[in-house]
Amino acid sequence: MSKQEDLRIRSRAISEGVNRVPNRAMLRAVGFQDEDFQKPMIGVASTWSEVTPCNIHIDQLAREAKLGVRASGGAPLIFNAITVSDGIAMGHDGMFFSLPSREVIADSIETVAGAERFDGLVAIGGCDKNTPACLMAIGRLNLPAVYVYGGTIQPGKLNGKDIDIVSAFEAVGQFHEGAIDERELHQVECHACPGAGACGGMYTANTMAAAAEALGMSLPGSSSTPAISPGKAEECGRAGRAVMELLRNNIAPKDIMTKKAFENAITVVMALGGSTNALLHLIAIAHSVQVDLTLDDFERIRRNVPHLADLKPSGKYVMQDLNDIGGVPGVMKLLLEQGMLHGDCLTVTGKTLAENLAEAAPLKEGQRIIRPFDNPLKPTGPLVVLRGNLAPEGAVAKMSGLKIQRFTGPARVYDSEREATEAIMNDNIREGDVLVIRYAGPKGGPGMPEMLSVTAMLVGKGLGGKVALLTDGRFSGGSHGFVIGHVAPEAQVGGPIALLQEGDTITIDSETQEISFDVSREELEMRAKHWVRPPYKFTTGVLGKYVRLVSSASKGAVTDLEHPSF
């Protein structure tokens, strides 16, 4: 390799000089030879784990990426980051660790890449927090990098119908309601998840994968290629080769993840009817590359983007179905033709988004998954930002699949998910109620636990859309119904949601974007004087550190703000 081709932008600190003999001796023990020290060192961040089907296959994908790097002249090294399974953590204290795992994953990738002086990075993720975490680390490092999504799971089959993990959560509610028996419940359990891959609908994993592709940080088609398809393994090899080209052309993540790229990601998420978690995660990713992204940006874009995709949880189809008719590239091609995307944004292919999409096939004729622009599911995006005296910093509602746009009812207030679950099981929640679960925010939860068990139970009991659910925690991408999350400021820091009392009348209006409760300012001031901050649930360990550092949900619930709130 000539000096002009020397791509060791950081690894020269290890591969050159007499003083680095000990460093190189360590690398020889893992297989490096003389020629490898003249090549750029590329880290392959694998989130492989046996704890979730989302990531069970990623070890094989990482090896394919490694081969791609090596074939293109790099010296690759695989390392691992953790993952947790949101589906397994759901509904109990394990969910406290879900959102904090995003920070742990990002921190660990940044730590390894920083310590080992890698020159570039391929990161491969599966479950919900993997994609934002990998992109956050990539943004902080600002090294040439490609993100690969491990891919979606195939739908399960039961009695000739497609089912998935959300079917299992909703079956619990159906069982408690007496709609199905124990044998039928067990059949759902045994057939919902047939193998490797992330949850199949337009839930958080697939939402964030689509956002990553729209950002330009994944190869075209990455977000919709199924986990077990031969195309996914081949894509990993191409990702390994692509990172080397980025290194040769001096293209870094901050060149790709610009404000306009984030606007593209928001547009795609709105058109697909993605998870409310997209707002939290995209703001956090933008923070990692110093792009100013706020809830107002989501609202500005939402008004101009129709909801087109008939995908679960509120629709009929899953990600594999979308892949079969042209995938996310087909949808983006359609959006670009309508002038809704910035085609001049750079991507990890080294080409612009428009150049990539010129090579993409259009959606198949006659398909029913993506609606035409003149007949959308909803004329505007379904992820609505609400504000009012109950959420001065904002809250997020997902309005897809709902006929009603306004909900007014009495507050049924619970300070934990467990108490709310018991109330639902005991039939204490009635049609017209506004079920409030508070002290579930970033600091109060901690970690903004997702309420999929609660929303699924409501749906299973026939209360979906008939009861509003309001929380300073989060919702799974699989949640649907009249649900509002991310209420900020959260209860733990004395936000107005902490001052709610049983029976207060709450109004939620997606058209006026109002979220308020009918209590006078004088009454609120009196309640605030009597409010006592509860102690943190954790004061030591990873969750203790998290509650001391984490920001508001409106700022992405990040832990590396320059002036964190304690």
Side-chain angles (χ1 to χ4, degrees):
M1 182 180 292
S2 68
K3 289 184 178 180
Q4 288 80 9
E5 296 175 318
D6 193 345
L7 302 178
R8 297 174 296 167
I9 57 176
R10 297 204 310 174
S11 64
R12 274 196 301 267
I14 292 171
S15 56
E16 293 286 338
V18 172
N19 290 348
R20 294 294 173 256
V21 165
N23 311 63
R24 295 193 292 275
M26 298 286 285
L27 284 168
R28 290 181 187 278
V30 299
F32 268 48
Q33 298 179 12
D34 286 348
E35 59 268 24
D36 293 311
F37 292 111
Q38 302 305 309
K39 301 173 182 176
M41 289 173 58
I42 306 297
V44 179
S46 166
T47 56
W48 171 79
S49 176
E50 291 183 337
V51 305
T52 174
C54 309
N55 297 59
I56 187 66
H57 61 307
I58 287 177
D59 57 335
Q60 301 168 24
L61 299 183
R63 287 193 284 271
E64 293 294 331
K66 182 177 180 178
L67 290 174
V69 171
R70 189 172 296 283
S72 194
L77 290 166
I78 296 174
F79 67 98
N80 279 87
I82 64 140
T83 191
V84 301
S85 170
D86 282 8
I88 297 171
M90 200 77 69
H92 53 82
D93 287 358
M95 185 45 65
F96 295 149
F97 293 87
S98 169
L99 187 58
S101 78
R102 185 190 73 181
E103 312 307 302
V104 175
I105 296 165
D107 291 352
S108 65
I109 293 173
E110 180 187 6
T111 298
V112 174
E116 303 299 322
R117 309 317 293 159
F118 291 143
D119 302 300
L121 192 68
V122 177
I124 311 172
C127 198
D128 293 9
K129 305 306 171 296
N130 296 177
T131 300
C134 288
L135 292 176
M136 288 162 66
I138 286 169
R140 294 177 196 170
L141 291 161
N142 201 35
L143 294 172
V146 177
Y147 175 71
V148 179
Y149 176 46
T152 185
I153 196 172
Q154 292 183 308
K157 300 285 185 181
L158 183 62
N159 300 324
K161 296 181 179 180
D162 288 351
I163 64 171
D164 61 12
I165 188 62
V166 175
S167 308
F169 279 101
E170 292 178 357
V172 174
Q174 294 167 350
F175 173 76
H176 285 300
E177 191 66 9
I180 61 174
D181 60 25
E182 192 169 348
R183 183 193 65 81
E184 293 170 305
L185 181 64
H186 185 65
Q187 286 295 302
V188 174
E189 177 183 329
C190 292
H191 291 85
C193 300
C199 300
M202 189 44 59
Y203 312 144
T204 302
N206 283 327
T207 296
M208 292 312 302
E213 184 171 337
L215 270 173
M217 288 305 301
S218 295
L219 296 175
S222 175
S223 59
S224 39
T225 307
I228 63 172
S229 69
K232 181 56 68 177
E234 190 270 336
E235 176 194 329
C236 290
R238 286 192 291 120
R241 295 190 291 274
V243 74
M244 291 296 296
E245 288 305 307
L246 291 171
L247 192 56
R248 290 186 177 102
N249 291 302
N250 194 28
I251 297 174
K254 287 184 180 179
D255 300 319
I256 296 171
M257 289 194 280
T258 62
K259 182 65 174 279
K260 291 201 299 183
F262 280 98
E263 291 177 347
N264 285 344
I266 295 169
T267 297
V268 170
V269 167
M270 291 293 179
L272 293 176
S275 165
T276 53
N277 283 311
L279 282 77
L280 192 76
H281 295 324
L282 284 171
I283 290 173
I285 297 165
H287 171 73
S288 76
V289 288
Q290 293 83 52
V291 167
D292 183 22
L293 193 70
T294 70
L295 292 177
D296 291 336
D297 291 307
F298 286 84
E299 190 53 38
R300 170 175 55 84
I301 293 167
R302 180 193 74 82
R303 297 191 189 107
N304 299 313
V305 179
H307 179 196
L308 302 175
D310 189 11
L311 295 168
K312 289 186 176 185
S314 56
K316 299 177 183 177
Y317 300 99
V318 296
M319 196 63 150
Q320 181 162 310
D321 298 322
L322 178 60
N323 181 71
D324 292 343
I325 58 108
V328 170
V331 177
M332 291 174 65
K333 191 180 185 80
L334 194 64
L335 292 168
L336 181 66
E337 290 169 354
Q338 293 292 320
M340 293 186 175
L341 295 176
H342 301 293
D344 59 342
C345 287
L346 188 62
T347 74
V348 293
T349 64
K351 300 177 182 179
T352 65
L353 186 74
E355 288 171 330
N356 288 342
L357 293 177
E359 301 173 6
L363 295 173
K364 287 185 178 179
E365 290 189 16
Q367 61 82 25
R368 298 182 179 182
I369 300 171
I370 303 300
R371 300 281 283 271
F373 278 86
D374 59 0
N375 185 29
L377 290 163
K378 195 173 182 292
T380 56
L383 303 179
V384 181
V385 176
L386 308 173
R387 284 190 172 90
N389 69 347
L390 190 47
E393 290 182 11
V396 183
K398 185 173 183 179
M399 305 306 296
S400 56
L402 290 175
K403 296 179 180 178
I404 57 172
Q405 304 299 315
R406 180 183 173 90
F407 199 108
T408 299
R412 306 299 310 281
V413 184
Y414 299 91
D415 289 348
S416 72
E417 182 182 0
R418 178 184 55 78
E419 293 170 345
T421 300
E422 290 175 359
I424 297 168
M425 291 176 62
N426 294 331
D427 297 321
N428 294 330
I429 304 301
R430 312 284 177 147
E431 183 175 340
D433 287 342
V434 180
L435 175 59
V436 178
I437 304 175
R438 64 186 179 186
Y439 295 103
K443 292 179 180 292
M448 297 182 76
E450 292 180 344
M451 304 296 171
L452 179 56
S453 294
V454 175
T455 59
M457 195 171 292
L458 289 171
V459 171
K461 281 185 163 288
L463 293 172
K466 300 175 182 177
V467 168
L469 176 53
L470 178 70
T471 181
D472 50 5
R474 294 181 297 132
F475 293 105
S476 163
S479 292
H480 56 111
F482 210 106
V483 296
I484 299 91
H486 306 201
V487 172
E490 62 173 297
Q492 185 69 38
V493 301
I497 191 174
L499 308 181
L500 267 175
Q501 292 182 1
E502 188 81 7
D504 286 345
T505 299
I506 296 177
T507 297
I508 305 154
D509 193 319
S510 66
E511 293 186 342
T512 63
Q513 296 172 257
E514 172 193 1
I515 180 167
S516 62
F517 59 130
D518 190 15
V519 176
S520 68
R521 181 176 296 178
E522 293 76 19
E523 171 68 15
L524 283 178
E525 289 175 354
M526 186 186 71
R527 292 183 187 182
K529 288 179 181 178
H530 291 91
W531 177 75
V532 177
R533 185 194 310 274
Y536 289 135
K537 296 184 181 76
F538 297 87
T539 57
T540 61
V542 65
L543 294 181
K545 287 187 287 187
Y546 185 81
V547 298
R548 288 193 295 274
L549 293 172
V550 69
S551 72
S552 167
S554 65
K555 295 184 178 179
V558 297
T559 56
D560 63 338
L561 285 181
E562 190 171 343
H563 300 291
S565 175
F566 287 88

